Amino acid sequence: MTCKEAIEQLHEFLDKELDDTIYSKIRQHIDMCHKCCEKFEFEQSLMKVVREKSQRHKTPQHVLQSIVSQWAELNEERSKPEPVAVEPVAVHGKGIFGFFTLKPAYTMAVLLPMTIIGLAAYLAFFRPAEYSPIVKVAAERHDSFVNNNMHLDLVSSDRNEIRRHFENSQRSNFAVDVPECNGREMELLGCKKYSRDGKKSAYVGFRGRQNKISLEMVDGSGMNIDKFPHEFYKGRSYYFGKYKGYNVVIWKHGNTLYSLTSTVDREGLMRVASETILP
Amino acid sequence: MKDFGNQESKIKEFEAAALEHIDSLFNFGMRMTGNREAAEDLVQETYLKVHRFSHTFKDGSNLKAWLFKILRNTFINTFRKKIKEPKSVHYDEVEDFYLFNKIKTAKKEGDYVSGESSDVYEFLEDEVKNAVNGLPLAFREVVLYSDIEDLSYGEISEIVGCPIGTVKSRLFRARKLLWKSLWNYANERGYLKERQEGKEI
């Protein structure tokens, strides 16, 4: 073996990627050749230095914990039987107006006109000009969301934030602590413990709903949200437990991040998003 | 129902095995993004996907490579980054044994350049870190896989989806660039001067 041949395979040799025959041939050569030995040893120690002097970052404990708890949640979801499989008719029946049918029928009779009046009042008197487009649009379109077999929850890690947004518009029925939600089996559908701000934010909603559309707000103050591209996550798939959904868009406005998410098919939601959120 | 317990313990086993590599993944995330928050997000997102796609993992195949592959794809998707060899880098202008020759020249004639001596161990942690972090992504990742994570060429080729030959040449170029930038950093600090004066730190 010549020096040239040995040097050509220096990295494969050091990375232990050679078969035994060639490896021992090179080994022999290095043992004999002072010049090559020097180079091989040098390269080897360089690689060692890179390895040893590279500080290894340890995963923060909270990240590990949130993964473990998220997995546990998902496992629990998985092990539960599909509600559709058990009671297909009942679930389907609830699907369209499930928001109302769980309550007596008069609730709906009262709620619907109120909502319409509220919407009209909102549109006529209370719509502040500085409203961020997505909240405004989501509020305006709430009824059609419901009628389109979708349900809109406004969720945020910060209840006060929700209240602030809807107090003026008298549409507090969007908030999580509203009468419609009392007595309902409302629970945390998922915790975005890993949201980009490092704080918790949560989805709150009703279990078992099939076509879910949710608007999430995350308080972005303290976050460097300017670094995010404007429409990041657009069209990206996302999961609520076992329900497949699409995180259509995360939209930033001022210091708030909004995301519109739904389990409706991707195309449908992209259409909704393009009519509402996207310019 | 019979295999249910069995299956459950299998899932637990898989989860534990996957979590064993979390530090490697996080470290990689830190190195690729250079940002703690982004690295945390990246790892969380990756492990969500790991859970979701755990059924696609073939028993007996390389778990670490599989995890890195998911992490890498997540990184590319999240940051919209392309991991390509930059055309603007003239790596071939860097001679072979660049650093070796530089140190050799800096030393007295006839002196043995040794890995065991202080010649290379004097590089500071920061210099190594900056040199690695300064590499273009395509080079940085192969150095991380190979020199930090000890993955084989075969495993790396699986992760990056390139033939082994490409991995090899990329890795060798990456190291060349790395040595060059290591030298520049060390030199800025006055490494050469110290060498010539024969001082020990």
Side-chain angles (χ1 to χ4, degrees):
Chain A
M1 173 155 300
T2 64
C3 291
K4 192 169 169 274
E5 284 170 327
I7 294 297
E8 266 170 10
Q9 298 179 81
L10 176 139
H11 285 282
E12 282 102 327
F13 177 86
L14 295 177
D15 289 331
K16 298 188 180 63
E17 294 275 348
L18 295 172
D19 62 53
D20 290 349
T21 340
I22 303 176
Y23 186 87
S24 55
K25 270 188 190 164
I26 294 180
R27 181 82 260 168
Q28 271 174 11
H29 177 84
I30 299 171
D31 288 344
M32 312 257 293
C33 177
H34 177 79
K35 274 192 166 173
C36 283
C37 181
E38 193 179 12
K39 286 178 177 168
F40 270 73
E41 272 185 9
F42 181 80
E43 287 289 314
Q44 186 173 35
S45 51
L46 264 184
M47 282 152 66
K48 204 169 144 201
V49 163
V50 169
R51 183 183 327 236
E52 286 175 4
K53 298 214 170 177
S54 286
Q55 179 209 351
R56 291 190 64 95
H57 300 276
K58 284 210 73 159
T59 321
Q61 203 55 32
H62 73 92
V63 174
L64 187 65
Q65 277 167 0
S66 110
I67 290 170
V68 170
S69 66
Q70 216 149 24
W71 278 6
E73 248 173 64
L74 290 172
N75 284 340
E76 207 181 303
E77 288 280 343
R78 266 187 195 174
S79 62
K80 274 182 196 165
E82 283 272 345
V84 182
V86 179
E87 248 185 313
V89 179
V91 170
H92 185 70
K94 284 174 191 173
I96 297 176
F97 286 112
F99 185 68
F100 302 109
T101 50
L102 283 180
K103 277 280 177 187
Y106 60 77
T107 309
M108 187 177 138
V110 172
L111 185 68
L112 210 56
M114 266 178 64
T115 317
I116 293 163
I117 292 164
L119 181 65
Y122 163 74
L123 288 174
F125 305 112
F126 295 102
R127 188 164 68 176
E130 74 278 13
Y131 247 32
S132 56
I134 181 169
V135 170
K136 189 181 76 186
V137 160
E140 281 171 358
R141 293 181 61 92
H142 174 253
D143 298 286
S144 69
F145 279 141
V146 172
N147 291 332
N148 283 332
N149 196 13
M150 297 181 211
H151 181 78
L152 182 72
D153 300 318
L154 181 61
V155 286
S156 168
S157 51
D158 184 1
R159 281 185 180 204
N160 290 327
E161 192 177 10
I162 298 174
R163 203 172 286 122
R164 269 202 305 280
H165 272 282
F166 288 99
E167 241 165 19
N168 293 337
S169 66
Q170 297 187 333
R171 292 186 63 79
S172 57
N173 53 318
F174 284 106
V176 291
D177 53 348
V178 297
E180 284 86 347
C181 301
N182 293 340
R184 294 273 313 272
E185 193 201 351
M186 187 178 74
E187 55 187 300
L188 224 53
L189 286 178
C191 267
K192 262 185 103 182
K193 288 168 191 149
Y194 59 101
S195 60
R196 290 188 171 260
D197 54 354
K199 298 171 208 156
K200 278 187 190 180
S201 69
Y203 299 107
V204 181
F206 304 104
R207 181 163 289 285
R209 304 194 65 79
Q210 294 294 304
N211 287 323
K212 180 173 185 56
I213 183 161
S214 86
L215 180 66
E216 187 198 14
M217 296 155 55
V218 175
D219 181 7
S221 52
M223 290 167 67
N224 184 12
I225 62 174
D226 289 337
K227 72 184 173 187
F228 301 133
H230 209 47
E231 294 173 23
F232 80 128
Y233 283 157
K234 183 178 166 187
R236 219 163 134 203
S237 61
Y238 195 81
Y239 284 74
F240 301 105
K242 65 191 163 197
Y243 300 115
K244 193 177 181 192
Y246 290 99
N247 201 337
V248 167
V249 67
I250 293 188
W251 186 259
K252 59 185 179 200
H253 188 270
N255 261 340
T256 310
L257 284 179
Y258 301 96
S259 79
L260 188 64
T261 314
S262 174
T263 54
V264 296
D265 66 292
R266 187 193 182 96
E267 239 170 54
L269 198 66
M270 285 303 278
R271 179 182 52 76
V272 173
S274 64
E275 285 170 12
T276 55
I277 315 164
L278 306 175
Chain B
M1 281 313 269
K2 218 178 177 183
D3 331 300
F4 191 73
N6 203 352
Q7 205 187 339
E8 200 174 6
S9 74
K10 228 176 146 187
I11 290 172
K12 284 270 164 282
E13 217 172 88
F14 173 82
E15 287 181 352
L19 280 177
E20 265 178 32
H21 297 291
I22 192 170
D23 281 346
S24 288
L25 267 63
F26 181 71
N27 187 57
F28 183 87
M30 283 292 287
R31 292 313 198 90
M32 292 298 268
T33 63
N35 174 323
R36 176 165 287 272
E37 267 181 33
E40 288 178 9
D41 286 347
L42 192 58
V43 169
Q44 305 231 34
E45 182 84 28
T46 301
Y47 273 95
L48 262 188
K49 284 184 185 161
V50 165
H51 187 275
R52 199 181 306 153
F53 300 117
S54 55
H55 60 279
T56 65
F57 177 73
K58 290 187 194 79
D59 273 344
S61 57
N62 190 312
L63 180 61
K64 193 174 178 181
W66 187 74
L67 292 172
F68 266 105
K69 198 173 175 175
I70 296 178
L71 180 70
R72 184 180 190 269
N73 287 338
T74 312
F75 172 80
I76 293 171
N77 289 338
T78 310
F79 295 91
R80 302 270 171 90
K81 286 256 164 86
K82 289 200 175 89
I83 303 189
K84 267 189 186 165
E85 282 188 47
K87 289 209 174 78
S88 56
V89 177
H90 301 292
Y91 31 75
D92 291 327
E93 282 174 13
V94 185
E95 56 184 311
D96 289 330
F97 298 104
Y98 178 90
L99 188 51
F100 177 85
N101 292 337
K102 285 285 184 195
I103 292 180
K104 188 89 176 165
T105 324
K107 285 172 78 102
K108 287 185 204 114
E109 206 174 309
D111 267 4
Y112 189 75
V113 177
S114 165
E116 296 308 310
S117 84
S118 56
D119 285 335
V120 291
Y121 278 92
E122 274 175 22
F123 292 127
L124 304 180
E125 265 183 33
D126 266 359
E127 288 164 0
V128 174
K129 188 180 105 186
N130 291 340
V132 173
N133 291 1
L135 289 174
L137 286 177
F139 293 131
R140 203 189 311 168
E141 69 163 346
V142 287
V143 167
L144 292 173
Y145 296 139
S146 175
D147 294 340
I148 313 283
E149 295 301 336
D150 251 338
L151 294 165
S152 70
Y153 296 170
E155 288 167 326
I156 299 172
S157 114
E158 199 182 304
I159 295 168
V160 302
C162 284
I164 288 188
T166 312
V167 169
K168 267 197 232 175
S169 70
R170 196 174 288 176
L171 180 61
F172 304 161
R173 286 170 190 166
R175 283 179 183 156
K176 265 201 212 175
L177 281 179
L178 185 60
W179 303 159
K180 186 172 185 207
S181 108
L182 205 49
W183 171 256
N184 290 343
Y185 277 116
N187 220 4
E188 263 171 41
R189 167 173 57 101
Y191 175 90
L192 182 63
K193 215 171 148 219
E194 283 162 14
R195 293 283 92 195
Q196 279 169 339
E197 287 167 6
K199 271 190 205 162
E200 295 293 323
I201 287 184

